[in-house]
Amino acid sequence: MRAIVVDDIEKFRCNLIQDLNDFCPNIEIVGTAEGVISAAKEIKAKKPDVVFLDIQINEGTAFDLLEILGDVDFKIIFTTASDEYAIKAFKLSAIDYLLKPIDIDELKSAVSKLSSINRDDYQLLTSNIKEIKKSNKRLALHSQDKIEIVEVGNIIRC
């Protein structure tokens, strides 16, 4: 499978590429990128099967990149230092969500899932991205004893 690694930290890109070369021989790295713009160009030019995608990248986030690309015809494995965006990533039909530093066994497991995903899942990912664009933005408001999720459109004063 042809892959692109997108991360704003060069050391991580190099480490992930080395781990993929050492432990996932069915993955061929065809490109790297460090930000939204370079990743969009690289993905459009190289047409990868899978993108290993950090959430926080130069010029924005992975979600900004996916919004720019529109129709997604590649699989995504998120690689990030924070579990903050895990739910959003899985709502976008991500194959996996790996926390840095990446455990080799988890990496192998994520790569093994790639072959079980079909074309219909791409369409689900694309439709989920479009839904997120349309949906109301929500905030988690913390009080002393609870957390309440509120739609931004319902906030009168803060």
Side-chain angles (χ1 to χ4, degrees):
M1 296 190 121
R2 298 166 38 83
I4 291 177
V5 175
V6 180
D7 197 293
D8 58 332
I9 300 171
E10 183 179 5
K11 181 180 177 184
F12 178 75
R13 286 192 312 268
C14 293
N15 288 343
L16 180 56
I17 290 168
Q18 187 63 53
D19 288 344
L20 288 166
N21 287 334
D22 290 347
F23 301 103
C24 305
N26 59 326
I27 300 293
E28 173 194 2
I29 306 300
V30 295
T32 63
E34 60 188 35
V36 172
I37 296 167
S38 61
K41 289 178 182 176
E42 197 73 4
I43 289 168
K44 286 181 181 184
K46 304 277 176 70
K47 302 197 182 315
D49 300 306
V50 61
V51 174
F52 291 86
L53 185 57
D54 188 14
I55 302 285
Q56 297 291 336
I57 54 178
N58 293 338
E59 301 119 21
T61 68
F63 307 113
D64 297 327
L65 170 64
L66 295 172
E67 189 174 319
I68 288 169
L69 291 172
D71 289 334
V72 174
D73 62 352
F74 53 87
K75 299 167 187 171
I76 300 171
I77 296 177
F78 285 102
T79 57
T80 186
S82 170
D83 61 0
E84 177 182 356
Y85 297 101
I87 293 171
K88 187 172 182 178
F90 284 116
K91 283 183 178 180
L92 292 175
S93 305
I95 302 295
D96 214 329
Y97 191 94
L98 303 175
L99 290 175
K100 297 175 188 173
I102 293 177
D103 178 85
I104 298 302
D105 290 330
E106 289 179 10
L107 177 63
K108 288 193 238 179
S109 173
V111 168
S112 71
K113 292 177 189 176
L114 292 171
S115 60
S116 65
I117 305 301
N118 61 36
R119 192 82 164 132
D120 294 337
D121 296 313
Y122 296 144
Q123 292 168 345
L124 178 60
L125 173 63
T126 302
S127 68
N128 286 346
I129 291 170
K130 289 176 184 170
E131 269 313 300
I132 285 176
K133 286 189 222 174
K134 290 185 219 171
S135 68
N136 290 331
K137 302 288 183 200
R138 297 181 296 177
L139 289 176
L141 301 177
H142 300 261
S143 66
Q144 274 187 313
D145 57 345
K146 67 179 181 175
I147 298 173
E148 188 172 342
I149 306 297
V150 179
E151 290 185 15
V152 172
N154 291 338
I155 296 175
I156 298 169
R157 179 177 24 212
C158 204

